[in-house]
Amino acid sequence: LYNRVQMKTIKAVGYARVSTLLGQDVENQLSGIRDLASHREYLYLHSYIDQGVSGKREKRPGLDSLVRDAKLGKFSIIIVHSIDRLGRSTKHLLNLMDELRHYGVSLISIRENLDFSSPVGQMALTMLASVAQLEAQLISERIKTSLAVKKKLASDHGTNWKCGR
């Protein structure tokens, strides 16, 4: 009984992010986050959400609010669906994790299933952050290539297609 009561005193929050609103539902991430918190018998307090915000941006309303609350000691665990939901820049992710660790906050990632506070977890975090950054760069490259092809096709067919504002 003591251990069960002790687990319920561990305060956890969730963070979810979708970069586009086209066909992405943040609830897909949140349901798994809440399930994990319930399974581990954490006291789940709140979900911080960023919708329609790129992971390349360091400043995001939901993430900024999460960091402020972490600094105030409102919780000790953050649960995310995957590490790339926190960000797609290696430098940003490592700095964010260092800041959260300073506040006494640990991160649990459902997809990676690692303890990021251990030495092995830190090494894995660095590798995963690099992969997330690579993925963001590849996405950007594919979009630029696709837009260039569309522009060329429009030019070849004499249409007045333009991209952007």
Side-chain angles (χ1 to χ4, degrees):
L1 179 65
Y2 171 74
N3 198 19
R4 192 173 287 258
V5 171
Q6 187 180 15
M7 290 301 285
K8 281 290 186 183
T9 62
I10 296 175
K11 296 177 182 173
V13 298
Y15 176 76
R17 177 187 63 79
V18 291
S19 56
T20 66
L21 300 176
L22 301 173
Q24 293 184 349
D25 185 359
V26 74
E27 188 57 37
N28 293 340
Q29 296 172 43
L30 293 175
S31 64
I33 289 169
R34 288 189 298 264
D35 287 348
L36 180 74
S38 175
H39 176 75
R40 295 201 181 177
E41 298 185 348
Y42 296 147
L43 179 60
Y44 192 77
L45 301 176
H46 182 69
S47 299
Y48 297 87
I49 300 169
D50 282 312
Q51 292 191 35
V53 183
S54 170
K56 293 188 282 186
R57 291 186 54 202
E58 290 186 21
K59 296 292 182 193
R60 293 174 249 154
L63 184 61
D64 294 345
S65 181
L66 179 140
V67 171
R68 276 192 305 276
D69 288 348
K71 187 175 183 177
L72 295 172
K74 292 186 176 185
F75 52 84
S76 59
I77 303 282
I78 300 170
I79 304 170
V80 295
H81 174 72
S82 63
I83 197 70
D84 67 343
R85 299 298 84 202
L86 278 177
R88 294 205 179 261
S89 159
T90 304
K91 181 180 176 184
H92 175 248
L93 274 172
L94 295 177
N95 287 338
L96 176 62
M97 292 305 301
D98 190 49
E99 182 178 4
L100 292 171
R101 194 172 29 258
H102 177 73
Y103 301 144
V105 175
S106 298
L107 175 71
I108 296 173
S109 174
I110 295 170
R111 180 185 296 161
E112 289 83 15
N113 195 21
L114 287 170
D115 175 2
F116 292 112
S117 62
S118 71
V120 172
Q122 286 297 304
M123 184 271 308
L125 174 66
T126 304
M127 291 173 41
L128 292 168
S130 296
V131 170
Q133 181 173 320
L134 172 64
E135 186 177 358
Q137 291 168 338
L138 292 174
I139 289 169
S140 175
E141 206 172 89
R142 283 193 303 265
I143 289 170
K144 287 177 185 174
T145 300
S146 177
L147 292 175
V149 167
K150 286 181 180 187
K151 184 176 180 179
K152 179 160 179 18
L153 285 172
S155 174
D156 291 350
H157 292 96
T159 60
N160 196 18
W161 182 85
K162 290 186 179 184
C163 177
R165 296 177 184 196

CSV table of all heavy atoms in Angstrom, one decimal, residues 13 48 64-76 78 99-100 102-105:
chain,number,residue,atom,x,y,z
A,13,VAL,N,3.4,15.2,-16.3
A,13,VAL,CA,2.7,16.0,-17.3
A,13,VAL,C,3.1,15.4,-18.7
A,13,VAL,O,4.0,14.6,-18.8
A,13,VAL,CB,3.1,17.5,-17.3
A,13,VAL,CG1,2.7,18.2,-16.0
A,13,VAL,CG2,4.6,17.7,-17.6
A,48,TYR,N,0.6,19.7,-22.1
A,48,TYR,CA,1.1,20.9,-22.8
A,48,TYR,C,1.1,20.5,-24.3
A,48,TYR,O,1.6,19.5,-24.7
A,48,TYR,CB,2.5,21.3,-22.3
A,48,TYR,CG,2.6,21.6,-20.9
A,48,TYR,CD1,2.7,20.6,-19.9
A,48,TYR,CD2,2.5,22.9,-20.4
A,48,TYR,CE1,2.8,21.0,-18.5
A,48,TYR,CE2,2.5,23.3,-19.1
A,48,TYR,CZ,2.7,22.3,-18.2
A,48,TYR,OH,2.8,22.6,-16.8
A,64,ASP,N,7.2,26.4,-24.0
A,64,ASP,CA,7.6,27.5,-23.1
A,64,ASP,C,6.9,27.4,-21.7
A,64,ASP,O,7.5,27.6,-20.7
A,64,ASP,CB,7.4,28.9,-23.7
A,64,ASP,CG,8.3,29.1,-25.0
A,64,ASP,OD1,9.2,28.3,-25.2
A,64,ASP,OD2,8.0,30.0,-25.7
A,65,SER,N,5.6,27.2,-21.8
A,65,SER,CA,4.8,27.0,-20.5
A,65,SER,C,5.3,25.8,-19.7
A,65,SER,O,5.4,25.9,-18.5
A,65,SER,CB,3.3,26.9,-20.9
A,65,SER,OG,2.5,26.8,-19.8
A,66,LEU,N,5.6,24.7,-20.4
A,66,LEU,CA,6.1,23.5,-19.7
A,66,LEU,C,7.4,23.8,-19.0
A,66,LEU,O,7.5,23.5,-17.8
A,66,LEU,CB,6.3,22.4,-20.7
A,66,LEU,CG,6.8,21.1,-20.2
A,66,LEU,CD1,6.1,19.9,-20.9
A,66,LEU,CD2,8.3,21.0,-20.5
A,67,VAL,N,8.3,24.5,-19.6
A,67,VAL,CA,9.6,24.8,-19.0
A,67,VAL,C,9.4,25.8,-17.8
A,67,VAL,O,10.0,25.6,-16.8
A,67,VAL,CB,10.6,25.4,-20.1
A,67,VAL,CG1,11.8,26.0,-19.4
A,67,VAL,CG2,10.9,24.4,-21.1
A,68,ARG,N,8.5,26.8,-18.0
A,68,ARG,CA,8.2,27.7,-16.8
A,68,ARG,C,7.7,26.9,-15.6
A,68,ARG,O,8.1,27.1,-14.5
A,68,ARG,CB,7.2,28.8,-17.2
A,68,ARG,CG,7.8,30.0,-17.9
A,68,ARG,CD,6.8,31.1,-18.0
A,68,ARG,NE,5.6,30.8,-18.7
A,68,ARG,CZ,5.4,30.8,-20.0
A,68,ARG,NH1,6.3,31.1,-20.8
A,68,ARG,NH2,4.2,30.4,-20.5
A,69,ASP,N,6.8,26.0,-15.9
A,69,ASP,CA,6.2,25.2,-14.8
A,69,ASP,C,7.2,24.2,-14.2
A,69,ASP,O,7.2,23.9,-13.0
A,69,ASP,CB,5.0,24.5,-15.2
A,69,ASP,CG,3.8,25.4,-15.4
A,69,ASP,OD1,3.9,26.6,-15.0
A,69,ASP,OD2,2.8,24.9,-16.0
A,70,ALA,N,8.1,23.7,-15.0
A,70,ALA,CA,9.2,22.8,-14.5
A,70,ALA,C,10.1,23.6,-13.6
A,70,ALA,O,10.5,23.1,-12.5
A,70,ALA,CB,10.0,22.3,-15.7
A,71,LYS,N,10.4,24.8,-14.0
A,71,LYS,CA,11.3,25.7,-13.1
A,71,LYS,C,10.6,25.9,-11.8
A,71,LYS,O,11.3,26.0,-10.8
A,71,LYS,CB,11.5,27.0,-13.9
A,71,LYS,CG,12.5,27.9,-13.2
A,71,LYS,CD,12.8,29.1,-14.0
A,71,LYS,CE,13.9,30.0,-13.4
A,71,LYS,NZ,14.2,31.2,-14.2
A,72,LEU,N,9.3,26.0,-11.8
A,72,LEU,CA,8.5,26.2,-10.5
A,72,LEU,C,8.4,25.0,-9.7
A,72,LEU,O,7.8,25.0,-8.6
A,72,LEU,CB,7.2,26.9,-10.8
A,72,LEU,CG,7.2,28.3,-11.4
A,72,LEU,CD1,5.8,28.7,-11.9
A,72,LEU,CD2,7.8,29.3,-10.5
A,73,GLY,N,8.8,23.8,-10.2
A,73,GLY,CA,8.8,22.6,-9.5
A,73,GLY,C,7.4,22.0,-9.4
A,73,GLY,O,7.1,21.2,-8.5
A,74,LYS,N,6.5,22.2,-10.4
A,74,LYS,CA,5.2,21.7,-10.4
A,74,LYS,C,5.0,20.2,-10.7
A,74,LYS,O,4.0,19.6,-10.5
A,74,LYS,CB,4.3,22.5,-11.4
A,74,LYS,CG,4.1,24.0,-11.0
A,74,LYS,CD,3.1,24.7,-11.9
A,74,LYS,CE,2.9,26.1,-11.4
A,74,LYS,NZ,1.8,26.8,-12.2
A,75,PHE,N,6.1,19.6,-11.3
A,75,PHE,CA,6.1,18.2,-11.7
A,75,PHE,C,7.5,17.7,-11.7
A,75,PHE,O,8.4,18.5,-11.8
A,75,PHE,CB,5.3,18.0,-13.0
A,75,PHE,CG,5.9,18.8,-14.1
A,75,PHE,CD1,7.0,18.5,-14.8
A,75,PHE,CD2,5.2,20.1,-14.4
A,75,PHE,CE1,7.4,19.3,-15.9
A,75,PHE,CE2,5.7,20.9,-15.4
A,75,PHE,CZ,6.8,20.5,-16.2
A,76,SER,N,7.6,16.4,-11.8
A,76,SER,CA,9.0,15.8,-11.8
A,76,SER,C,9.2,14.9,-13.1
A,76,SER,O,10.3,14.5,-13.3
A,76,SER,CB,9.3,15.0,-10.6
A,76,SER,OG,8.3,14.0,-10.4
A,78,ILE,N,8.1,14.4,-17.3
A,78,ILE,CA,7.5,14.8,-18.6
A,78,ILE,C,7.4,13.5,-19.4
A,78,ILE,O,8.4,12.8,-19.6
A,78,ILE,CB,8.3,15.8,-19.3
A,78,ILE,CG1,8.4,17.1,-18.5
A,78,ILE,CG2,7.6,16.1,-20.7
A,78,ILE,CD1,9.4,18.1,-19.1
A,99,GLU,N,18.5,21.8,-19.1
A,99,GLU,CA,17.8,22.7,-18.3
A,99,GLU,C,16.7,22.0,-17.4
A,99,GLU,O,16.6,22.2,-16.2
A,99,GLU,CB,17.0,23.7,-19.2
A,99,GLU,CG,16.3,24.8,-18.4
A,99,GLU,CD,15.6,25.8,-19.3
A,99,GLU,OE1,15.7,25.7,-20.5
A,99,GLU,OE2,15.0,26.7,-18.7
A,100,LEU,N,16.0,21.0,-18.0
A,100,LEU,CA,15.0,20.3,-17.3
A,100,LEU,C,15.7,19.4,-16.2
A,100,LEU,O,15.2,19.3,-15.0
A,100,LEU,CB,14.2,19.3,-18.2
A,100,LEU,CG,13.3,20.1,-19.2
A,100,LEU,CD1,12.8,19.1,-20.2
A,100,LEU,CD2,12.2,20.8,-18.5
A,102,HIS,N,18.3,20.2,-14.6
A,102,HIS,CA,18.7,21.2,-13.5
A,102,HIS,C,17.5,21.5,-12.6
A,102,HIS,O,17.7,21.7,-11.4
A,102,HIS,CB,19.2,22.5,-14.2
A,102,HIS,CG,19.5,23.6,-13.2
A,102,HIS,ND1,20.6,23.6,-12.4
A,102,HIS,CD2,18.8,24.7,-12.9
A,102,HIS,CE1,20.6,24.7,-11.7
A,102,HIS,NE2,19.5,25.4,-12.0
A,103,TYR,N,16.3,21.4,-13.2
A,103,TYR,CA,15.1,21.6,-12.4
A,103,TYR,C,14.6,20.4,-11.7
A,103,TYR,O,13.5,20.4,-11.0
A,103,TYR,CB,13.9,22.2,-13.3
A,103,TYR,CG,14.3,23.5,-14.0
A,103,TYR,CD1,13.8,23.7,-15.2
A,103,TYR,CD2,15.0,24.4,-13.3
A,103,TYR,CE1,14.1,24.9,-15.9
A,103,TYR,CE2,15.3,25.6,-14.0
A,103,TYR,CZ,14.8,25.9,-15.3
A,103,TYR,OH,15.1,27.0,-15.9
A,104,GLY,N,15.3,19.2,-11.9
A,104,GLY,CA,14.9,18.0,-11.2
A,104,GLY,C,13.8,17.2,-12.0
A,104,GLY,O,13.1,16.4,-11.4
A,105,VAL,N,13.7,17.5,-13.3
A,105,VAL,CA,12.6,16.9,-14.1
A,105,VAL,C,13.2,15.8,-15.0
A,105,VAL,O,14.3,16.1,-15.7
A,105,VAL,CB,11.9,18.0,-14.9
A,105,VAL,CG1,10.9,17.3,-15.9
A,105,VAL,CG2,11.2,19.0,-14.0
